[in-house]
Amino acid sequence: MERQRVSIFDVARAAGVGVATVSRVLNSSPRVSPTTRARVEAAIEELGYHPSRLASGLSKGRQDMIAVLVPFITRPSVVSRLEGVIEVLDKSGYGTTLYSVASLSQRDRHLEYLMDRHASVGVIVISIPLSREHIASFRANGVQLSLIDTAGEDVPHVVVDDRVGGALAGMHLIGLGHRRIGFIGDEDLSGLGFASSYKRLTGLEDALVSFGRSLDRELIRLGPHGATTAKEMADDLLRLGNPPTAIFAASDTQALGVLRSAQANGLKVPDDLAVIGFDNLEVASIFNLSTIAQPLFESGVEGAQRLLCQLEGREVEQVKKVLRLELHARATTIRSAVGPMGTGLQRQLSAYV
Amino acid sequence: MERQRVSIFDVARAAGVGVATVSRVLNSSPRVSPTTRARVEAAIEELGYHPSRLASGLSKGRQDMIAVLVPFITRPSVVSRLEGVIEVLDKSGYGTTLYSVASLSQRDRHLEYLMDRHASVGVIVISIPLSREHIASFRANGVQLSLIDTAGEDVPHVVVDDRVGGALAGMHLIGLGHRRIGFIGDEDLSGLGFASSYKRLTGLEDALVSFGRSLDRELIRLGPHGATTAKEMADDLLRLGNPPTAIFAASDTQALGVLRSAQANGLKVPDDLAVIGFDNLEVASIFNLSTIAQPLFESGVEGAQRLLCQLEGREVEQVKKVLRLELHARATTIRSAVGPMGTGLQRQLSAYV
DNA sequence: TTGTATGCGTTATCAT
DNA sequence: ATGATAACGCATACAA
């Protein structure tokens, strides 16, 4: 048999006060004398009382919940960001609700629900582009918004410059003498409009153009995100009559597939093929993979803090916050004593952007 | 300015009916005539009405929310499970709330909150051991429970037999002629009581004992989960006067670290050192890593389905569901034409358990 | 089949 | 400083 819920009324009776006083104690209002406060707190402890968020939310007209909208929770980069978000939210007193979206319809369904102030006070969106209308609706409904890895007009967002990141990778490879540079990136099958892979490619083009060269369409392969498909695309590239001498992968996960392809094809890295990724996941340092590092966890922390900031009524000082990218040149682009899996001297050319 | 919320009352007025009728339509009660139903639905559409989960929950005495308790969201294995859970929950009509726990105090805080029927109708716990008292409390409060990768008396749970998995790995290595087998696993710093690493070690011991041998404590290293620390532990093992000829890592992530260590130390895999992992993450197939495969995503799907089953009032047919483990013998234990990173013949000895 | 009225557990507005 | 009471939006027992 389920025990009866102990309500604010029970506490009030036990403490010999009115419900309003108990409510004041709960919300730490200053307008209550120390003695009664103590009595109430004792009663709360005694009865093992827990306030109902439901009732509180209904009464206040909004729920003390923060929703987090994420795509493809399988991707390590998304998970790292989410981790940062949770870290902050967890000690904030707000509950965290997770909404995973993998398709347009799912996105719209979730967004429509989240517009409701009864659902959450604030929403954190990770890597999912929002339309002007979406943002306007949130605003109209009084639901705060904080964006991570995606931009939005007049909405606090924390991003990196993917295009600059791509250029960084390109410059690095060009500086090493590479002229035929392949690219392996994402094809956006979901229709959600992920742009980071494309932006990184554009950055690569920037780098090439600045050296009087241009992007070779033949050396570009786009496909579903993942190491396995990346390997297949790299195989494809390496089978070309005039294959690339370097490959820039839009993520470390994909770079792993490229690495795998190189070895399967008997190519030495970085001599026969140079490889650079993006993200700087743990696996990158393990495999001595050159990469463009971006602060994933920090982006989550930052995004969550900015939402909390708004909820406290403070203005976010810097609506658009750009996090730094950093080139980590390791053994898959730079020859060292021991090769890409070795422990040789690991040069970290940190190019701060 | 925030627009006024449209409530069930507005809909009732617009449709010229009572609120109860609207409520019946919303909850698809059969006790409403087709014509009025149509009128009400039209009004709902017209006004863009969305029922408030808050109010509904308060009225019903419980929220249509399902909480998911997860540890270390960074681990790919946990993420895969969570992915499965979300996949199912997402099309169930319930909301999904995520609670991440990394410490004992965090676990207790979250559990205490989740006991509340106002917080959620059901709770899914991933990989976190629950005490008898915890389980009893959930039951007393009428909150349904479903466990994944952790056991519980009389509570539906889906698990694998980690000990058998360890034995499987052990038998495989022993069968290949290895006698000095090292183990690299997790040290449970959190105090939460994760046991899978330990169970896998016990399984390895079972295998050794069945061959008249015993576990060599000298060859065991436990440390914080991660590829980097695993590499360090492997380095340590390989520096031994009489180093192991094979290493069983408690997870693929850790096996990656071992692989890295082997190459850094100039050891050929699998000739100088055989390596086997656990989980069969995507990275395992990419790197041709031998491993004990467990159905991670499926465990999430199964766990979520079992909770939904209970919520529909049906009994879960099989309280303890054991998922199958499978040995994938690949190039890090079995010599092939191209070695661990190659694409040679990939034998998959599937030992169903 | 449909409408009325009450309760769910809080917060907030009044009084006192 | 404190207490009584009206919302909050919905579900449901009861009445019609």
Side-chain angles (χ1 to χ4, degrees):
Chain A
M1 65 173 202
E2 300 164 9
R3 63 178 182 234
Q4 189 59 38
R5 183 182 184 80
V6 0
S7 81
I8 200 174
F9 185 78
D10 302 313
V11 176
R13 189 154 37 84
V17 299
V19 289
T21 303
V22 179
S23 180
R24 287 186 193 103
V25 171
L26 289 173
N27 299 288
S28 47
S29 153
R31 318 178 69 77
V32 48
S33 80
T35 41
T36 46
R37 176 182 301 276
R39 261 215 327 282
V40 171
E41 277 167 347
I44 288 175
E45 183 68 28
E46 170 92 25
L47 299 175
Y49 164 78
H50 296 288
S52 161
R53 291 194 173 193
L54 232 45
S56 168
L58 182 57
S59 179
K60 283 196 291 209
R62 66 199 148 75
Q63 173 106 295
D64 50 352
M65 279 284 179
I66 291 176
V68 186
L69 208 61
V70 295
F72 305 120
I73 197 167
T74 29
R75 293 198 192 178
S77 59
V78 172
V79 173
S80 291
R81 292 197 157 98
L82 179 59
E83 207 196 347
V85 168
I86 290 179
E87 171 109 349
V88 172
L89 257 37
D90 210 65
K91 39 187 136 185
S92 75
Y94 289 98
T96 309
T97 319
L98 188 67
Y99 295 85
S100 169
V101 3
S103 68
L104 268 180
S105 64
Q106 214 171 27
R107 179 198 65 180
D108 292 332
R109 189 163 53 80
H110 285 151
L111 281 178
E112 186 176 355
Y113 174 66
L114 291 176
M115 298 292 169
D116 192 342
R117 271 164 48 225
H118 275 201
S120 47
V121 264
V123 178
I124 294 175
V125 179
I126 299 181
S127 300
I128 301 172
L130 255 41
S131 73
R132 210 174 291 269
E133 291 72 34
H134 285 140
I135 293 174
S137 294
F138 275 112
R139 187 153 296 149
N141 289 25
V143 176
Q144 302 286 2
L145 210 49
S146 176
L147 274 30
I148 298 173
D149 189 39
T150 177
E153 205 140 333
D154 286 334
V155 178
H157 56 281
V158 35
V159 293
V160 295
D161 193 325
D162 284 301
R163 185 162 175 177
V164 166
L168 219 52
M171 299 295 271
H172 176 58
L173 294 175
I174 294 169
L176 291 169
H178 295 281
R179 291 301 173 260
R180 290 187 62 74
I181 301 178
F183 178 81
I184 284 186
D186 301 335
E187 185 185 16
D188 184 12
L189 295 168
S190 67
L192 290 169
F194 298 112
S196 60
S197 168
Y198 176 73
K199 286 185 192 161
R200 290 166 195 174
L201 174 58
T202 306
L204 172 61
E205 183 169 24
D206 292 343
L208 286 165
V209 167
S210 77
F211 274 79
R213 307 192 63 90
S214 64
L215 209 52
D216 188 343
R217 295 282 154 195
E218 192 194 23
L219 301 181
I220 298 174
R221 292 290 181 283
L222 305 180
H225 191 91
T228 311
T229 54
K231 176 190 174 298
E232 288 161 8
M233 294 191 283
D235 284 343
D236 194 33
L237 238 36
L238 297 176
R239 267 195 298 268
L240 250 36
N242 189 7
T245 63
I247 292 182
F248 170 30
S251 72
D252 288 345
T253 303
Q254 289 162 313
L256 242 44
V258 176
L259 241 37
R260 181 74 171 73
S261 169
Q263 304 216 217
N265 287 284
L267 297 181
K268 289 197 68 176
V269 174
D271 300 289
D272 303 330
L273 182 74
V275 181
I276 187 167
F278 207 108
D279 285 346
N280 195 31
L281 305 178
E282 186 189 21
V283 71
S285 72
I286 281 292
F287 286 101
N288 240 335
L289 171 69
S290 295
T291 194
I292 305 297
Q294 69 168 320
L296 296 167
F297 182 87
E298 291 76 2
S299 75
V301 168
E302 189 66 34
Q305 284 174 340
R306 299 169 128 239
L307 182 62
L308 293 179
C309 183
Q310 293 181 78
L311 292 177
E312 291 169 8
R314 292 180 290 143
E315 275 297 302
V316 174
E317 68 296 339
Q318 199 182 356
V319 173
K320 170 176 185 168
K321 174 138 192 176
V322 181
L323 262 30
R324 288 215 238 145
L325 252 24
E326 198 174 312
L327 166 66
H328 285 218
R330 295 196 273 235
T332 57
T333 53
I334 293 186
R335 190 178 304 111
S336 70
V338 287
M341 291 267 297
T343 47
L345 179 75
Q346 174 178 312
R347 275 189 276 170
Q348 294 209 353
L349 305 174
S350 297
Y352 291 93
V353 178
Chain B
M1 66 176 200
E2 300 164 10
R3 62 177 184 237
Q4 188 60 36
R5 182 182 187 78
V6 5
S7 81
I8 200 175
F9 184 78
D10 302 313
V11 177
R13 190 152 39 83
V17 298
V19 288
T21 304
V22 179
S23 179
R24 288 186 194 101
V25 171
L26 288 172
N27 300 288
S28 48
S29 154
R31 317 177 71 77
V32 49
S33 81
T35 41
T36 46
R37 175 182 302 277
R39 260 217 324 283
V40 171
E41 278 167 347
I44 288 175
E45 183 68 27
E46 168 91 25
L47 300 176
Y49 165 76
H50 297 286
S52 161
R53 290 195 173 193
L54 231 46
S56 165
L58 183 56
S59 179
K60 282 197 291 217
R62 67 201 148 71
Q63 171 105 298
D64 51 352
M65 278 284 179
I66 290 177
V68 186
L69 208 61
V70 297
F72 305 120
I73 199 168
T74 28
R75 294 199 191 177
S77 59
V78 171
V79 172
S80 290
R81 292 196 156 98
L82 179 59
E83 207 196 346
V85 167
I86 290 179
E87 171 107 351
V88 173
L89 256 37
D90 209 64
K91 39 188 136 185
S92 75
Y94 289 98
T96 308
T97 319
L98 189 67
Y99 295 86
S100 169
V101 4
S103 68
L104 269 179
S105 64
Q106 214 171 27
R107 180 198 66 181
D108 292 332
R109 187 162 54 82
H110 285 153
L111 281 177
E112 185 176 354
Y113 174 65
L114 291 175
M115 297 295 170
D116 192 340
R117 273 167 44 229
H118 274 201
S120 49
V121 265
V123 178
I124 294 175
V125 179
I126 298 181
S127 299
I128 301 172
L130 255 41
S131 74
R132 208 176 292 271
E133 290 71 34
H134 286 141
I135 294 175
S137 293
F138 275 112
R139 188 153 295 150
N141 289 23
V143 175
Q144 301 287 0
L145 211 50
S146 175
L147 275 29
I148 297 174
D149 189 39
T150 176
E153 206 140 335
D154 288 332
V155 179
H157 56 281
V158 35
V159 292
V160 295
D161 193 325
D162 283 302
R163 186 163 173 176
V164 166
L168 219 53
M171 298 296 269
H172 176 57
L173 294 175
I174 294 170
L176 291 169
H178 294 283
R179 292 300 173 260
R180 289 186 63 73
I181 301 178
F183 178 83
I184 283 185
D186 301 334
E187 184 184 18
D188 183 11
L189 295 168
S190 67
L192 290 169
F194 298 111
S196 62
S197 169
Y198 177 74
K199 286 183 190 161
R200 290 166 194 173
L201 175 58
T202 307
L204 172 60
E205 182 169 25
D206 292 344
L208 285 164
V209 167
S210 77
F211 273 78
R213 307 192 61 91
S214 64
L215 207 55
D216 189 344
R217 297 282 153 195
E218 194 194 23
L219 301 181
I220 298 173
R221 292 291 182 281
L222 304 180
H225 191 90
T228 311
T229 53
K231 177 190 174 297
E232 287 161 9
M233 293 192 283
D235 284 343
D236 194 33
L237 238 37
L238 296 176
R239 266 196 297 267
L240 250 36
N242 189 6
T245 63
I247 292 182
F248 171 30
S251 73
D252 288 346
T253 303
Q254 289 161 314
L256 242 45
V258 176
L259 241 38
R260 181 73 172 73
S261 169
Q263 302 215 218
N265 286 283
L267 298 180
K268 290 197 66 175
V269 174
D271 300 287
D272 302 331
L273 182 73
V275 180
I276 186 167
F278 207 108
D279 286 344
N280 196 31
L281 305 178
E282 186 190 21
V283 70
S285 73
I286 281 292
F287 285 100
N288 240 334
L289 171 70
S290 295
T291 193
I292 305 297
Q294 69 168 320
L296 294 168
F297 182 86
E298 292 78 0
S299 75
V301 169
E302 188 67 35
Q305 284 175 340
R306 300 169 128 239
L307 182 62
L308 293 179
C309 184
Q310 293 180 78
L311 292 178
E312 290 169 8
R314 294 180 288 145
E315 276 296 304
V316 173
E317 68 295 340
Q318 201 184 353
V319 174
K320 171 177 185 166
K321 174 135 189 175
V322 181
L323 262 29
R324 289 217 237 137
L325 253 23
E326 198 174 312
L327 167 67
H328 285 219
R330 296 196 272 233
T332 57
T333 54
I334 293 184
R335 191 178 303 111
S336 70
V338 286
M341 290 268 298
T343 46
L345 179 75
Q346 175 177 316
R347 275 189 275 173
Q348 295 207 353
L349 305 174
S350 296
Y352 290 93
V353 178

